[in-house]
Amino acid sequence: MRIDVLTLFSDMFASPLDYSIVKRAKDRQLVNIVLSNIRDYASNSYKKVDDKPYGGGPGMVMMCQPVFDCLENVKKQDENPGRIILLTPGGRKFDQNLAKELANEKRVILISGHYEGFDERIRIGTNAEEVSIGDYVLSGGELAAMVIIDAIVRLLPGALGDEYSAANDSFSDGLLEYPHYTRPEVFRDMKVPDVLLSGNHKEIEKWRKQQALEKTKTQRPDLLS
Ligand code: 6GU
């Protein structure tokens, strides 16, 4: 899979994508993450990528020209057209289902903005889908892009050591995940539940299912309806 990111701050991506599962997936060539700097495409001599909003108001708006030129260049670097996603707090909310959908694509192009937002003609002219990672406002789309990349990449076949880990994840069956324990059996008077030490796999399965349900009921009742 190829993931393109169009950003003003490509350096921000180095460290978060160089650890753990994402790093391993890159090393195994399950994913090729290509960063493009929008500013490199600014045609004006000041490398300006933002300007004041028409109609007035605070903040700066991402200009059309650098984004369109960057996107057109990036698109033609690979034969797969790719799904084009504009990262904005006003978009469709990212969730595990969308992560699964995107993990099945051959190519995804993420456009990360900064400042007050994008010139609306970027959305209209690129036909991009708008995606948000939640109901809060970030200073830019970079962290959102990294969140989305992480959620996608760990779903790629071969990215996780144990193929079962993703199947048991929270949300994968509509429930939160059951609680886990590891050694020691007792830590500061807190004991591992007996059933997990019983060796009775049927009972363990039953307990985990019931715990997942309980947890979902208290923490996220919205998932059950
Ligand atoms: Cl994708 N961008 C920004 N700036 N803020 C957000 C977001 C995206 N998703 C949630 N908040």
Side-chain angles (χ1 to χ4, degrees):
M1 176 182 198
R2 172 170 170 151
I3 302 178
D4 284 280
V5 187
L6 281 58
T7 170
L8 290 171
F9 301 104
S10 44
D11 289 349
M12 278 180 75
F13 288 79
S15 171
L17 302 180
D18 260 320
Y19 288 93
S20 179
I21 291 161
V22 178
K23 169 148 176 37
R24 197 170 57 192
K26 288 203 298 186
D27 290 346
R28 291 180 177 171
Q29 297 181 359
L30 305 175
V31 65
N32 180 21
I33 301 170
V34 183
L35 303 168
S36 298
N37 204 320
I38 296 170
R39 198 177 299 276
D40 293 343
Y41 294 84
S43 61
N44 55 82
S45 50
Y46 302 104
K47 295 281 167 206
K48 195 173 158 66
V49 292
D50 58 321
D51 209 337
K52 289 175 290 192
Y54 277 120
M60 299 292 269
V61 177
M62 296 269 295
M63 294 161 60
C64 287
Q65 179 274 320
V67 176
F68 274 89
D69 285 354
C70 183
L71 180 62
E72 275 151 23
N73 184 280
V74 161
K75 264 169 119 172
K76 65 182 184 212
Q77 290 171 16
D78 191 285
E79 70 217 22
N80 293 303
R83 236 164 112 168
I84 304 171
I85 292 175
L86 204 57
L87 295 162
T88 138
R92 162 184 176 187
K93 209 188 282 181
F94 185 72
D95 61 10
Q96 193 64 19
N97 284 330
L98 185 49
K100 283 182 200 166
E101 233 179 80
L102 296 177
N104 280 315
E105 300 281 343
K106 284 202 170 65
R107 189 182 190 195
V108 171
I109 302 176
L110 302 171
I111 309 176
S112 169
H114 227 86
Y115 314 120
E116 226 20 61
F118 297 99
D119 186 309
E120 182 68 3
R121 291 164 294 188
I122 293 173
R123 183 186 64 75
I124 297 167
T126 61
N127 216 1
E129 310 167 53
E130 294 178 283
V131 172
S132 153
I133 62 162
D135 294 341
Y136 40 81
V137 178
L138 302 167
S139 337
E142 291 79 18
L143 289 168
M146 289 183 243
V147 165
I148 290 171
I149 291 170
D150 189 292
I152 294 175
V153 168
R154 60 192 300 289
L155 293 175
L156 299 176
L160 297 179
D162 175 358
E163 291 299 335
Y164 281 95
S165 331
N168 288 334
D169 279 347
S170 285
F171 308 112
S172 59
D173 59 358
L175 294 178
L176 301 180
E177 209 177 359
Y178 54 76
H180 305 283
Y181 291 88
T182 187
R183 290 189 290 182
E185 271 186 45
V186 182
F187 181 77
R188 296 190 181 175
D189 291 337
M190 295 177 283
K191 203 180 164 311
V192 175
D194 286 334
V195 62
L196 297 179
L197 309 172
S198 69
N200 185 334
H201 296 295
K202 247 200 148 100
E203 283 303 310
I204 292 171
E205 185 76 15
K206 216 170 92 185
W207 180 85
R208 285 180 168 164
K209 183 86 197 172
Q210 178 224 330
Q211 289 286 315
L213 250 168
E214 277 308 310
K215 192 166 176 80
T216 312
K217 242 188 253 172
T218 49
Q219 308 270 62
R220 294 293 306 278
D222 58 297
L223 293 176
L224 292 171
S225 53

